[in-house]
Amino acid sequence: MTFFGNLQNEIYFAGLGGTLPALPMTAAGLEDLARQRLSPEAFGYIAGSASTERTAAANLAAFDRHRIVPRMLRGTAAPDVRDLSVEVLGTRLAAPVLTAPVGVLELVHPDAEAAVGAVTSELGVGSVLSTAASTSIETVAQVSGETWWYQLYWPSDDEVAESLVRRATAAGAKAIVLTADTPGMGWRPRDLELGHLPFLQAKGIANYLSDPVFRSRLASPPEESAEAMQMAVLTWVSMFGNHAIRANDVARLTEWTDLPIVVKGIVHPEDAHAVVDAGASGVVVSNHGGRQVDGAIGALDALVPVASAVGERATVLLDSGIRSGADVVKALALGADAVLYGRPWVYGLGLAGADGVRHALRMLLADLDLTLGLAGFASVAELDPSILRDA
Ligand SMILES: Cc1cc2nc3c(=O)[nH]c(=O)nc-3n(C[C@H](O)[C@H](O)[C@H](O)COP(=O)(O)O)c2cc1C
Ligand SMILES: O=C(O)C(=O)c1ccccc1
């Protein structure tokens, strides 16, 4: 059992000795500092969502509409009685949190996915490695311990898709997360106004450049010349978007790997049904942080219908709008088995590398630990809808 709340004491005692924390103590504080310190291109890419960004706002509003009704005098506030650990699809986690897959991390820091893999493994939480990573699967696997999953963007070239899945399985991933909501990019005004798409500069395509099947599609090795790299980028462009995938195709993934399959980006209960029927063991209720369909339902508002639809047949995770410990409590109470944490740790990475990722995660985990205990619960298993009221 890990007492994540001890971060609080650590900070106060350091303060007594005259040392102030290097980074802000809220997700919003990290975003504000990142806005000042990162390049406009990097900040815009991370912070931006689709179109009017109303779905990004709806994600946060949905959390605010649910309020916890804390219970008192139940003997549960002491740290040593609390247990945040969970097992999710066979992966044992010290807390019900995994880092969401985020592509192109080299935009914010050269240590990128390796920093995330090392820190999540150190804290005992999970990570989901993006297909659009800046570092190859095999390199990240070396530092990521036993708690990492692999996120698949299914390329339109099936043999490349199969190769990526087999590589992730061989490298030790514990689940494959197929992202369903991004057959192409949404309309993203912040990137459009800067004319900025990182992939065109060969960023975020390391998993393709290191893939033997992808390389077999190229006339010459991308390392050979700037022109060869440009051709590799264009080949990536030609196969990134895949509008042909259907729910049934999930069954094909189970031929390439024995790992559990999770489908990410589900908000409609019927889609959840369909992918579970096709062999998925889990779904991530998500609208991609509002980056795809602007005007879409807030992710938390989709959780109860999806969780009811799949019942005991599948594990349910949620992302899009997790910013605090209370948000995690609310998601778990409404039926999520765990959450994916997105933008805040990316700002941490950009501000301070691995230290910033550690800070963002420890802050969330401490807040979760303390909120749980102060609300009268000794374990995350005790959370259910009865602990919440509508605001
Ligand atoms: C900069 C950025 C890059 C992302 N890249 C990926 C990706 O490569 N694969 C994926 O499945 N989701 C990707 N996502 C979506 C996240 O996994 C997650 O769904 C989203 O960040 C949740 O919203 P939140 O960060 O607002 O909480 C990305 C999100 C951001 C902000
Ligand atoms: O930017 C994104 O949200 C995203 O998911 C993505 C899409 C293509 C490649 C890399 C990341």
Side-chain angles (χ1 to χ4, degrees):
M1 210 149 37
T2 317
F3 173 39
F4 292 109
N6 63 359
L7 176 61
Q8 208 183 23
N9 288 338
E10 221 177 279
I11 293 170
Y12 290 138
F13 279 103
L16 196 59
T19 307
L20 288 182
L23 292 169
M25 288 296 153
T26 61
L30 287 178
E31 178 174 349
D32 287 342
L33 197 59
R35 185 183 292 110
Q36 297 167 34
R37 301 245 178 105
L38 302 185
S39 71
E41 286 78 11
F43 182 77
Y45 182 68
I46 298 158
S49 291
S51 198
T52 66
E53 302 193 344
R54 295 234 267 289
T55 288
N59 287 336
L60 305 186
F63 281 98
D64 199 37
R65 266 189 278 103
H66 293 93
R67 302 276 166 92
I68 300 163
V69 187
R71 302 299 307 275
M72 298 298 141
L73 305 177
R74 307 210 304 176
T76 47
D80 56 340
V81 302
R82 277 199 300 281
D83 187 7
L84 271 60
S85 70
V86 289
E87 190 171 310
V88 190
L89 294 170
T91 306
R92 190 85 213 159
L93 301 175
V97 174
L98 302 91
T99 51
V102 171
V104 224
L105 290 178
E106 71 196 288
L107 267 186
V108 299
H109 199 280
D111 295 344
E113 294 78 15
V116 183
V119 169
T120 49
S121 148
E122 167 196 317
L123 296 174
V125 298
S127 62
V128 186
L129 175 62
S130 168
T131 287
S134 301
T135 320
S136 76
I137 298 169
E138 292 77 10
T139 304
V140 183
Q142 282 173 21
V143 297
S144 299
E146 301 290 316
T147 56
W148 66 281
W149 298 357
Y150 179 72
Q151 178 264 328
L152 178 68
Y153 276 132
W154 192 319
S156 58
D157 183 329
D158 283 346
E159 289 174 16
V160 176
E162 176 173 353
S163 178
L164 291 168
V165 170
R166 290 192 185 281
R167 285 171 60 195
T169 307
K174 294 289 182 282
I176 301 294
V177 180
L178 171 67
T179 297
D181 59 19
T182 309
M185 290 282 197
W187 178 255
R188 304 203 180 150
R190 299 201 210 193
D191 298 337
L192 292 161
E193 283 169 9
L194 294 168
H196 176 243
L197 186 65
F199 316 101
L200 298 185
Q201 302 160 27
K203 291 178 179 156
I205 64 172
N207 279 324
Y208 301 81
L209 297 179
S210 59
D211 191 87
V213 179
F214 180 82
R215 293 177 72 93
S216 75
R217 306 297 192 250
L218 306 174
S220 48
E223 300 77 20
E224 224 160 60
S225 65
E227 290 72 34
M229 184 60 86
Q230 211 46 46
M231 286 311 293
V233 167
L234 293 177
T235 306
W236 177 86
V237 170
S238 74
M239 69 169 74
F240 172 75
N242 187 346
H243 294 264
I245 299 297
R246 292 172 169 275
N248 278 346
D249 291 308
V250 168
R252 291 164 64 203
L253 293 175
T254 64
E255 293 166 15
W256 300 337
T257 183
D258 292 330
L259 296 174
I261 309 296
V262 178
V263 179
K264 174 173 182 278
I266 297 294
V267 287
H268 198 298
E270 285 175 19
D271 292 343
H273 255 305
V275 297
V276 172
D277 283 347
S281 309
V283 296
V284 183
V285 176
S286 167
N287 55 35
H288 211 102
R291 292 161 72 84
Q292 291 297 99
V293 179
D294 191 40
I297 180 173
L300 191 70
D301 290 327
L303 177 57
V304 170
V306 168
S308 312
V310 302
E312 299 298 306
R313 296 170 70 211
T315 294
V316 178
L317 297 96
L318 172 128
D319 76 26
S320 299
I322 297 284
R323 298 292 179 268
S324 71
D327 293 344
V328 182
V329 167
K330 292 173 188 179
L332 297 180
L334 291 175
D337 296 294
V339 302
L340 307 189
Y341 194 35
R343 287 174 170 113
W345 67 259
V346 187
Y347 298 129
L349 177 69
L351 291 167
D355 287 343
V357 177
R358 187 180 297 105
H359 174 76
L361 276 167
R362 288 190 73 197
M363 189 163 81
L364 180 75
L365 296 169
D367 190 11
L368 169 61
D369 196 353
L370 298 171
T371 301
L372 195 73
L374 293 173
F377 305 102
S379 89
V380 290
E382 292 172 26
L383 302 174
D384 67 35
S386 73
I387 73 153
L388 302 178
R389 294 288 180 278
D390 292 345

